[in-house]
Amino acid sequence: MERVRKIIHFDMDCFFAAVEIRDNPELRGKPVVIGGDPKSRGVVSTASYEARAYGIRSAMPSARAFALCPHAVFIRGSFSKYREASRQIREIFANYTDLIEPVSIDEAYLDVTGNQDFKYASQIAKQIQRDIFELTQLTGSAGVASNKLLAKIASDMNKPNGLTVVRPEHAEAFMGPLSLRKIPGIGPAAEEKLRKNGLKLCTDVWGYDPGALREAFGERMATWLQKRSRGVDSREVQTSRARKSLGTERTFAKDIYDLEMLREVVRKLSLEVSAGLAKKELLGRTITLKIKYADFQQITRSKSLGDLTNSSEVVRDTALELLGVHPAQEKSIRLLGVTVSNFEEREEKKSKAAVFLEKQICFEFLN
Ligand code: TTP
Ligand code: MG
């Protein structure tokens, strides 16, 4: 029997705002908004819970936040402080496991299956919360479950300073009543399409005719929905050291011959991969295109670049170049995949990733 894994998803509570409030206690209890100047075209990075009560949310224009709550305290924020707190929490995670997958500046998955010091993963999560508070005076919330999907959803259920455990035998009961939108990967567009097909909650997928689901969403998405809606997720926690490549692929409902359609798929896949690289703070050198023909013959074409990249344009243009002018050799194609590999070394990574993240956040502030 496969060993049940113990996964913790940890996410800090209103992270940037919490750091600012910690360093300026006068802000405690007030609506605090971190982000761009409300008089500029800036956007909100995050907001304290008091500000969220007014409807203020991440990525909203700061001017709109100001209109919702003119007496909120607006702070531009100081990225170096957030970076330092992020480093501190990662150091604490490392005391409990080597298998850490940082997802963003304030969030990570931990696989603690191998930790022999604690009987239950929930004890580790609690101890991490205590350690973090002691070192940084900040709080975070944890989800404990047998896979990443359940742990991620659970960590968001009892914010702030929450701990939610989903036992393996309760996975379906946990997922059933949840909105499909709670499943990471389902954004506003997918939610809308699901809703049009009468699908709102996870249980709606369970009761949906599998053939009709495939018809409406394609085989890949249908299978994915069936699994996720029941809390099934076999993705492993991937440390950036362990990870050798990052890619995505698409099997088509109908084989495709048309070059422009194939190019469109390559563009989409490239965008997904580069978004994944950015999220995981990875930079790669080699782009690979995988082609599976209608007769199941499979080939890969690769190109290595002079520079490390996570740029969506570079990944896309390289993948399109690999697709070529007439890739099908007179044959239709049933699957395309785009993968980036040959990641930077760890030391090289630290500084570049920091620069990238800083740029990303500044971009968010400035836009
Ligand atoms: P989140 O964990 O999404 O948000 P949060 O920690 O502020 O709030 P929550 O308690 O709900 O987890 O993001 C972490 C930080 O990343 C957040 O404090 C600020 C930054 N961020 C942005 O700059 N822009 C964004 O659009 C989002 C979502 C986050
Ligand atoms: Mg957070």
Side-chain angles (χ1 to χ4, degrees):
M1 202 181 84
E2 200 180 320
R3 189 165 57 143
V4 174
R5 288 179 301 154
K6 298 179 184 178
I7 310 294
I8 299 174
H9 179 260
F10 203 94
D11 187 301
M12 299 297 286
D13 303 322
C14 49
F15 186 47
F16 291 6
V19 171
E20 296 300 336
I21 293 166
R22 174 196 67 186
D23 295 345
N24 183 0
E26 277 178 22
L27 297 174
R28 198 165 293 282
K30 292 187 182 157
V32 176
V33 179
I34 314 298
D37 184 341
K39 288 188 216 73
S40 74
R41 299 195 321 122
V43 296
V44 173
S45 192
T46 194
S48 67
Y49 290 100
E50 290 81 358
R52 290 182 198 191
Y54 291 85
I56 298 174
R57 297 282 180 274
S58 289
M60 167 185 285
S62 300
R64 167 115 182 91
F66 183 77
L68 287 168
C69 181
H71 66 281
V73 183
F74 285 82
I75 301 173
R76 186 99 169 73
S78 46
F79 190 79
S80 55
K81 283 205 289 194
Y82 315 144
R83 183 94 213 153
E84 171 60 11
S86 179
R87 193 192 57 73
Q88 288 176 308
I89 64 170
R90 284 187 196 178
E91 264 179 27
I92 289 170
F93 296 153
N95 292 333
Y96 297 92
T97 179
D98 289 333
L99 287 174
I100 303 165
E101 178 180 335
V103 184
S104 76
I105 190 161
D106 82 327
E107 179 188 351
Y109 291 104
L110 283 66
D111 185 331
V112 297
T113 316
N115 183 310
Q116 305 286 334
D117 302 333
F118 293 82
K119 182 153 187 242
Y120 299 110
S122 56
Q123 296 170 316
I124 301 178
K126 262 190 213 144
Q127 192 56 47
I128 289 175
Q129 286 178 311
R130 281 195 285 263
D131 292 353
I132 288 180
F133 190 76
E134 197 170 301
L135 187 68
T136 68
Q137 287 82 56
L138 298 169
T139 64
S141 297
V144 178
S146 54
N147 67 41
K148 286 163 79 169
L149 168 74
L150 295 164
K152 165 99 181 169
I153 296 175
S155 74
D156 203 39
M157 292 215 124
N158 274 308
K159 271 179 170 287
N161 203 18
L163 172 64
T164 305
V165 181
V166 184
R167 300 178 57 78
E169 62 272 28
H170 295 152
E172 284 197 2
F174 174 79
M175 291 302 292
L178 294 182
S179 160
L180 287 161
R181 183 65 201 275
K182 288 271 179 200
I183 298 175
I186 297 188
E191 184 189 26
E192 178 61 17
K193 190 171 175 200
L194 288 161
R195 203 190 50 76
K196 281 197 179 130
N197 284 275
L199 296 165
K200 218 170 163 300
L201 308 179
C202 289
T203 43
D204 297 337
V205 175
W206 304 358
Y208 213 79
D209 175 61
L213 198 66
R214 275 199 301 275
E215 186 77 23
F217 295 95
E219 194 174 328
R220 184 174 182 267
M221 171 84 172
T223 309
W224 184 86
L225 271 173
Q226 280 160 339
K227 281 192 187 155
R228 292 294 188 269
S229 66
R230 290 187 187 273
V232 176
D233 177 9
S234 56
R235 289 172 304 155
E236 296 196 351
V237 170
Q238 298 213 328
T239 63
S240 43
R241 234 177 324 168
R243 186 190 280 283
K244 296 274 189 285
S245 69
L246 185 76
T248 182
E249 58 183 45
R250 193 87 83 241
T251 305
F252 312 128
K254 280 203 185 94
D255 299 339
I256 303 181
Y257 183 79
D258 181 75
L259 181 60
E260 200 32 59
M261 280 170 76
L262 292 166
R263 288 174 65 87
E264 190 49 38
V265 175
V266 167
R267 285 188 203 106
K268 275 203 189 121
L269 293 172
S270 302
L271 205 60
E272 283 173 28
V273 175
S274 49
L277 292 174
K279 217 170 163 189
K280 297 195 173 351
E281 297 180 36
L282 291 169
L283 296 167
R285 235 183 268 276
T286 303
I287 321 287
T288 301
L289 181 75
K290 175 163 132 186
I291 302 175
K292 201 186 260 183
Y293 293 106
D295 60 6
F296 282 82
Q297 185 205 349
Q298 183 175 307
I299 61 161
T300 55
R301 297 176 184 153
S302 295
K303 180 170 178 177
S304 289
L305 309 164
D307 288 322
L308 288 161
T309 192
N310 64 8
S311 146
S312 54
E313 285 89 14
V314 174
V315 175
R316 180 198 63 202
D317 292 347
T318 312
L320 283 173
E321 189 187 319
L322 292 167
L323 180 67
V325 283
H326 197 265
Q329 304 171 345
E330 309 302 322
K331 283 193 280 191
S332 296
I333 288 177
R334 73 183 312 267
L335 172 149
L336 280 178
V338 174
T339 300
V340 176
S341 58
N342 206 351
F343 296 136
E344 63 194 321
E345 295 301 317
R346 262 175 88 68
E347 285 316 304
E348 202 180 346
K349 175 176 154 70
K350 264 187 202 149
S351 55
K352 286 225 178 90
V355 170
F356 167 75
L357 249 178
E358 203 141 356
K359 270 196 199 138
Q360 185 191 23
I361 301 280
C362 289
F363 175 79
E364 283 167 359
F365 279 172
L366 292 172
N367 275 274

